[in-house]
Amino acid sequence: MKFTKMHGCGNDYVYVNCFTEKVDHPEETAILVSDRHFGIGSDGLILIKPSDVADFEMDMYNADGSRGAMCGNGIRCVAKYVYDNGLTDKTRITVSTGSGIKTLDLSVENGCVKTVRVNMGSPVLEAEKIPVVSDTSRVISQPITVAGKDFFYTALSMGNPHAVVFLDDVENLKIEEIGPEFEHHRNFPDRVNTEFIKVIDDHTIQMRVWERGSGETLACGTGACAAAVASILNHKVSSRKVSVLLRGGELQIEWAGEGQPVYLTGPAVTVFTGEYPAGK
Ligand SMILES: N[C@H](CCC[C@H](N)C(=O)O)C(=O)O
């Protein structure tokens, strides 16, 4: 299987061009290739496929083999891959995902995509659609006890479920302890991606993330969108343009308010190409 290794702010995936390659068991393949010692090493696997309803289809799998409905860092790399490899010459493309068709605008320098702006669609705030178990119709700064500790969280979907928690310190957070407890908490029937946020100023937040199915990643595109929306809803920031500082880089989020789409802008990087498994 020929593959290309790419990342968005350090959120790295193995990409396979399914116009020319065939992946029969993507769940198992995602587990194998993600292993950072016995495989290629990645946060998961992303298949780039033909589509009848959009220019391309993105089919995304986490490191544990679970299928993700949307991936903000991944979709930017899909755009870079299809443009840089000549599958399209358009600088506005559509990509079909598990959470609908997304429109992307590509910024090109010297014939290659450098940054991509994604219309991520509108956030979903209704508890039952996220889904989250709650006795309130929305979850905006609601109390939750996780592993015996009390937090306040805001829940929303960007096509995938997110829980956003505001803390005074995220640097020293023992995310490997609390992350899985959130991921598997009874409030989240489909598990959850959890973003831990420190507010820096009225347009800047710092974020660490424990991803459903992949653990701590250096960045999460849908998570950065969820964090910015939660920061605006909770009046933690006053700007509608939020810079999200992640361990792997910086993402720019724009949201004009309820009923409006969230826009995600960030880089996409190609690291290397290869063959898996290697020839004899
Ligand atoms: N772990 C996520 C999918 C990947 C999302 C993330 N890598 C992004 O950039 O949005 C989920 O299971 O919903």
Side-chain angles (χ1 to χ4, degrees), residues 47-206:
L47 308 182
I48 301 168
K49 296 179 171 178
S51 170
D52 296 332
V53 298
D55 294 319
F56 301 95
E57 178 187 345
M58 174 178 76
D59 189 12
M60 185 266 160
Y61 298 84
N62 294 302
D64 70 352
S66 61
R67 200 171 200 171
M70 181 50 195
C71 183
N73 287 316
I75 204 168
R76 298 199 313 277
C77 291
V78 167
K80 177 174 179 64
Y81 181 92
V82 297
Y83 186 91
D84 292 4
N85 288 279
L87 277 71
T88 185
D89 60 2
K90 301 195 302 184
T91 56
R92 167 166 284 193
I93 65 169
T94 56
V95 177
S96 172
T97 75
S99 68
I101 297 172
K102 311 298 179 188
T103 301
L104 297 83
D105 289 310
L106 287 54
S107 298
V108 177
E109 283 177 29
N110 305 320
C112 290
V113 171
K114 290 294 179 216
T115 57
V116 182
R117 184 172 189 259
V118 190
N119 178 333
M120 298 286 284
S122 299
V124 172
L125 301 173
E126 293 78 16
E128 75 275 1
K129 293 179 182 171
I130 294 171
V132 61
V133 173
S134 172
D135 53 14
T136 58
S137 61
R138 290 182 167 191
V139 179
I140 311 287
S141 193
Q142 290 291 310
I144 186 172
T145 300
V146 179
K149 297 186 181 72
D150 294 331
F151 298 87
F152 286 91
Y153 77 115
T154 296
L156 60 102
S157 172
M158 289 303 303
N160 56 357
H162 293 271
V164 182
V165 175
F166 294 95
L167 300 172
D168 294 333
D169 170 20
V170 296
E171 283 298 333
N172 299 305
L173 176 71
K174 290 188 170 42
I175 199 168
E176 68 286 349
E177 292 177 9
I178 198 66
E181 299 288 343
F182 266 94
E183 178 181 1
H184 298 281
H185 191 278
R186 63 182 175 283
N187 282 15
F188 309 110
D190 292 349
R191 298 188 287 165
V192 76
N193 302 284
T194 307
E195 290 79 31
F196 301 93
I197 307 299
K198 178 182 178 181
V199 179
I200 305 299
D201 60 32
D202 73 348
H203 62 279
T204 310
I205 59 177
Q206 180 186 4

Side-chain angles (χ1 to χ4, degrees), residues 205-278:
I205 59 177
Q206 180 186 4
M207 172 175 139
R208 286 181 70 187
V209 56
W210 183 268
E211 282 200 33
R212 173 178 65 170
S214 291
E216 181 171 24
T217 60
L218 299 188
C220 177
T222 51
C225 294
V229 167
S231 298
I232 293 167
L233 289 174
N234 285 286
H235 310 293
K236 301 285 188 180
V237 295
S238 57
S239 172
R240 297 290 175 165
K241 292 185 178 180
V242 181
S243 295
V244 183
L245 310 181
L246 301 132
R247 291 183 65 191
E250 186 174 332
L251 293 172
Q252 303 302 324
I253 314 296
E254 301 161 69
W255 185 50
E258 291 208 35
Q260 300 296 315
V262 182
Y263 290 93
L264 161 66
T265 302
V269 176
T270 301
V271 185
F272 63 91
T273 60
E275 181 86 22
Y276 179 87

